Amino acid sequence: MSQPYNRVYNFSAGPCTLPVEVLEQVRDELLNWNGSGMSVMELSHRSKHFGSIIEETEADFRSLLGIPESYHVLFLQGGASLQNTMIPMSLLPEGGSADYVVTGSWGQKSAEAARRVGQIQVLWDGKAHNYDRTPEPAALQTTPGAAYVHYTSNETIQGVQFFEDLAFSVPAVCDMSSDILSRPIDISRYNLIYAGAQKNMGPAGATVVVISQDLLDRCPKDHHPMLDYRLHTANASLYNTPPCFAIYVCGLVYKWVVRQGGVARMQEQAQAKSQLLYDAIDSSGGFYSGHSQKHCRSVMNVTFTLPNEELTNAFVKESVALGLDGLKGHRSVGGIRASIYNAFPKEGCEALADFMGAFARRNG
Ligand SMILES: *Cc1c(COP(=O)(O)O)cnc(C)c1O
């Protein structure tokens, strides 16, 4: 089960595992990037070298998701969490209202942040079912005149996911932090997409925002500069110093995804990898119970519980000893969470599935 460089299988929810090929390239280029005589960490963000990095990074991202020129792509800081505030501050007008779909902890946080800014309507909230499901899309009727509707495509903590690009009659804003680039999307269904980099794209520090021109036109003029999508767009993400190194690594990850066969291939792999773990849950005779209902089981974060706390702790302890790291579930759900983003190798899922079977046989 030994991996290159004695690495472990890192099931962490984020920051999380990156492709070894990318890390090797970062290592090889660390001291002198492309003949510049410097590390990317030392390059001026105004230099032509960094200009070429951010331009290529944006171009590769656009081509992976099929994002046309009528959308802007920004690389910002502050994580997805800042977007939770920046979005209502930019898009929720005085006296207006926005709709929120609350499918788990991140949807809740987004709604809480928006409530501090203005009025929102919660269209649907999965709390009564302990966030074990996504709603039927038909159940989501937006409020006429809503400034936008916000939803979370994949709830990283609960492990419930939407597999379709929801269609709404008001502008759609989606937090795709934990499943961006894991499947093809129909970009025309969205007006704003945001994602912190540290799950499916690269190291923490960069946040990608995709915003349509028509939504940008609704943003206030002369807003607080760092919260101003117009200013960031006009300056092509270089209004202030961007997270240069994180952007560079995201760019290498995008090229890696291209080499793997693009997001359609990522989707196939995510389905196959998650299936190994869901099969291990379903064939355990009830020893493991999946948190999510079957129709919306996340292909990125597989969450399940064991019969009791003692067995859960033993499971975590034994898994770590086998080089299966980061499996302890989030405190709000308990149990186990296996985060298996794009860069997570299938062999790691096979190893976990084997261990799950053996552990259940010994303790069931
Ligand atoms: C991790 C995560 C966030 C928070 O991201 P930060 O970059 O830490 O602010 C928000 N939404 C989702 C769905 C996440 O998975």
Side-chain angles (χ1 to χ4, degrees):
M1 194 146 81
S2 154
Q3 286 198 79
Y5 309 100
N6 272 330
R7 287 164 59 81
V8 294
Y9 288 121
N10 177 5
F11 290 91
S12 166
C16 59
T17 204
L18 289 171
V20 172
E21 277 169 62
V22 166
L23 296 173
E24 286 174 334
Q25 189 175 347
V26 170
R27 176 198 61 197
D28 293 345
E29 297 178 338
L30 191 64
L31 287 143
N32 185 346
W33 181 80
N34 202 24
S36 65
M38 300 173 215
S39 164
V40 175
M41 281 183 268
E42 303 163 300
L43 282 178
S44 164
H45 61 297
R46 308 280 174 206
S47 65
K48 70 174 189 331
H49 292 299
F50 187 73
S52 73
I53 290 174
I54 194 167
E55 274 171 31
E56 244 181 79
T57 299
E58 176 179 334
D60 287 334
F61 179 79
R62 281 181 181 274
S63 81
L64 281 168
L65 286 180
I67 299 173
E69 289 301 317
S70 52
Y71 290 77
H72 303 279
V73 175
L74 299 172
F75 295 93
L76 304 179
Q77 304 193 56
S81 299
L82 181 59
Q83 292 308 305
N84 286 341
T85 296
M86 196 162 156
I87 287 162
M89 283 188 77
S90 305
L91 296 171
L92 192 46
E94 286 262 358
S97 177
D99 287 343
Y100 277 74
V101 181
V102 180
T103 44
S105 304
W106 290 113
Q108 250 179 344
K109 284 213 164 139
S110 302
E112 274 162 25
R115 267 196 203 97
R116 289 176 169 262
V117 177
Q119 201 188 319
I120 67 162
Q121 303 284 340
V122 173
L123 286 191
W124 188 88
D125 191 323
K127 190 171 183 178
H129 304 286
N130 200 18
Y131 298 114
D132 70 348
R133 66 192 69 176
T134 55
E136 283 302 317
L140 302 175
Q141 294 301 323
T142 52
T143 312
Y148 60 88
V149 54
H150 177 285
Y151 73 102
T152 309
S153 51
N154 180 62
E155 286 285 356
T156 320
I157 290 175
Q158 283 78 15
V160 300
Q161 187 173 14
F162 286 106
F163 299 106
E164 63 270 85
D165 306 296
L166 300 180
F168 294 107
S169 51
V170 301
V173 172
C174 187
D175 177 358
M176 283 194 194
S177 292
S178 54
D179 66 351
I180 195 159
L181 298 179
S182 69
R183 65 177 177 89
I185 58 168
D186 174 359
I187 184 71
S188 71
R189 290 273 167 94
Y190 304 92
N191 298 79
L192 193 157
I193 292 170
Y194 63 103
Q198 70 275 18
K199 279 129 190 173
N200 249 338
M201 297 191 289
T207 308
V208 173
V209 174
V210 182
I211 182 169
S212 66
Q213 181 64 47
D214 55 333
L215 203 63
L216 190 71
D217 290 339
R218 295 193 189 189
C219 292
K221 297 201 169 102
D222 302 319
H223 199 32
H224 305 283
M226 281 300 284
L227 304 180
D228 186 351
Y229 290 119
R230 289 173 183 270
L231 193 62
H232 287 299
T233 302
N235 287 280
S237 305
L238 298 173
Y239 167 67
N240 72 322
T241 317
C244 302
F245 194 77
I247 292 169
Y248 151 74
V249 181
C250 287
L252 299 182
V253 171
Y254 300 160
K255 288 194 186 303
W256 176 84
V257 176
V258 171
R259 287 197 301 277
Q260 304 305 299
V263 293
R265 180 82 184 117
M266 292 294 108
Q267 181 177 34
E268 269 170 41
Q269 291 190 332
Q271 285 165 347
K273 289 186 294 185
S274 59
Q275 196 60 50
L276 290 167
L277 303 184
Y278 288 121
D279 284 348
I281 293 171
D282 294 339
S283 65
S284 70
F287 184 79
Y288 302 111
S289 14
H291 175 75
S292 171
Q293 296 214 333
K294 288 190 180 170
H295 73 276
C296 52
R297 283 174 156 178
S298 171
V299 299
M300 299 274 105
N301 308 96
V302 176
T303 50
F304 59 92
T305 53
L306 281 77
N308 59 51
E309 191 72 23
E310 205 185 323
L311 284 170
T312 308
N313 292 337
F315 183 99
V316 171
K317 202 168 159 206
E318 287 184 35
S319 63
V320 170
L322 291 171
L324 308 172
D325 201 273
L327 284 164
K328 194 170 169 49
H330 191 271
R331 58 195 176 280
S332 61
V333 176
I336 301 295
R337 170 173 54 171
S339 298
I340 50 171
Y341 304 111
N342 285 350
F344 190 90
K346 188 171 182 197
E347 295 72 30
C349 292
E350 289 162 353
L352 176 56
D354 287 348
F355 170 64
M356 286 171 71
F359 188 88
R361 280 190 295 279
R362 256 188 292 121
N363 297 284

